[in-house]
């Protein structure tokens, strides 16, 4: 028996940072769950490619490039989605930057670059899309955070600070919007090799340590975060807001693994 509340037919989803990695997997998963999906990012060729994949599932999509550091760019994305689909019911914020360097040497400009994308980009999108959701009395927002919001990983302090702030923002918006039909939640993925982090993981001591600390003894596959996204986007999660769903192979639960 199918639990119908997971069905996203009739909904429109926007995935910012949805052209690669976990964002692309989530965009495709939402499309397979029945939603029309707009997967947006900075690179036109990647936007075109993911749009074609979404349309191949039989769902509607739209080619729209976005720069989350530019408020007008996000507003243009919102306007394009509303003009094409009438509304945006689901927003996923998946765009992000990371860089590794000793914190004592990291520049304010680099911190500003990371915070402007990872935190302020989420805030801008939540404000622009969220205002319309509040007016309509319905919305689902899913922010992608990180294990790094819970535990420190060596020499990525700016990224960690940005993701901890996203979790705090998620909870604040959830409380403010809880009585207005808009649920705001987050997903904290464990170790998932993507273009964003592959240099930090593949063939490195860091990668080996992360593997050792994950009780399942493997990295996650991008498709393994999709179920959590479909849940949070659906009516099955109608009483969930301010939650952070951890998908990490047991990493945060782990103490001694042997």
């Amino acid at each position: 028996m199918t639990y119908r509340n997971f069905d996203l037919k009739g909904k429109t989803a926007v995935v910012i940072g949805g052209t690669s990695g976990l964002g692309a997997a989530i965009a495709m998963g939402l499309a397979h769950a029945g939603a029309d999906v707009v997967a947006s990012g900075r690179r036109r060729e990647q936007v075109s490619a993911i749009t074609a994949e979404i349309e191949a599932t039989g769902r509607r999509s739209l080619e729209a490039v976005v720069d989350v550091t530019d408020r007008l760019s996000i507003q243009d994305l919102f306007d394009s989605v509303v003009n094409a689909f009438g509304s945006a019911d689901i927003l996923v914020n998946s765009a992000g930057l990371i860089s590794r360097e000793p914190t004592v040497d990291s520049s304010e400009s680099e911190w500003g670059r990371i915070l402007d994308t990872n935190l302020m980009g989420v805030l801008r999108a939540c404000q622009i899309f969220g205002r319309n959701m509040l007016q309509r009395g319905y919305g689902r927002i899913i922010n992608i955070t990180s294990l790094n919001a819970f535990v420190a990983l060596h020499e990525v302090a700016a990224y960690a600070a940005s993701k901890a702030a996203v979790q705090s923002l998620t909870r604040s918006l959830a409380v403010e919007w809880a009585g207005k039909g808009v649920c705001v939640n987050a997903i904290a993925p464990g170790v998932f090799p993507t273009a964003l982090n592959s240099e930090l993981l593949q063939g490195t001591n860091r990668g080996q340590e992360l593997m050792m600390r994950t009780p399942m003894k493997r990295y996650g596959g991008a498709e393994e975060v999709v179920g959590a996204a479909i849940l949070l986007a659906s009516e099955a999660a109608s009483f969930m807001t301010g939650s952070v769903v951890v998908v990490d192979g047991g990493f945060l639960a782990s103490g001694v693994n042997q």
Side-chain angles (χ1 to χ4, degrees), residues 212-226:
M212 178 189 71
R213 292 191 58 185
T214 302
M216 286 191 178
K217 300 303 181 189
R218 64 178 178 85
Y219 298 142
E223 69 283 353
E224 292 180 297
V225 79
V226 172

Side-chain angles (χ1 to χ4, degrees), residues 104 146 158 176 178 187 201 207 214 254:
V104 71
S146 170
E176 291 184 36
I187 297 173
L201 296 178
T214 302
S254 174

Side-chain angles (χ1 to χ4, degrees), residues 81-252:
V81 171
V82 172
N83 288 337
F85 299 97
S87 65
D89 306 294
I90 301 158
L91 171 67
V92 181
N93 286 304
S94 185
L97 292 176
I98 190 171
S99 67
R100 180 179 181 181
E101 62 181 341
T103 306
V104 71
D105 297 325
S106 59
S107 66
E108 289 189 20
S109 62
E110 182 65 2
W111 272 70
R113 185 177 77 96
I114 290 172
L115 288 168
D116 194 28
T117 295
N118 296 4
L119 172 60
M120 297 306 297
V122 172
L123 174 63
R124 294 180 189 109
C126 286
Q127 287 178 326
I128 290 169
F129 283 83
R131 185 179 300 277
N132 181 258
M133 290 176 177
L134 291 169
Q135 291 170 349
R136 296 172 53 234
Y138 182 87
R140 299 287 183 267
I141 295 176
I142 305 167
N143 298 323
I144 305 302
T145 176
S146 170
L147 289 183
N148 219 169
F150 297 94
V151 296
L153 304 182
H154 194 57
E155 293 183 344
V156 287
Y159 180 79
S162 71
K163 291 301 186 177
V166 168
Q167 287 194 186
S168 182
L169 174 62
T170 297
R171 294 186 178 107
S172 293
L173 293 180
V175 170
E176 291 184 36
W177 297 352
K180 301 174 183 178
V182 181
C183 297
V184 188
N185 294 288
I187 297 173
V191 187
F192 289 78
T194 68
L196 185 67
N197 63 17
S198 60
E199 291 184 4
L200 300 178
L201 296 178
Q202 303 297 344
T204 66
N205 290 335
R206 186 191 195 91
Q208 291 174 0
E209 181 178 352
L210 288 167
M211 181 81 76
M212 178 189 71
R213 292 191 58 185
T214 302
M216 286 191 178
K217 300 303 181 189
R218 64 178 178 85
Y219 298 142
E223 69 283 353
E224 292 180 297
V225 79
V226 172
I230 292 173
L231 166 65
L232 295 177
S234 73
E235 289 307 297
S238 58
F239 199 56
M240 291 179 68
T241 197
S243 296
V244 180
V245 178
V246 178
V247 185
D248 71 346
F251 187 103
L252 290 181

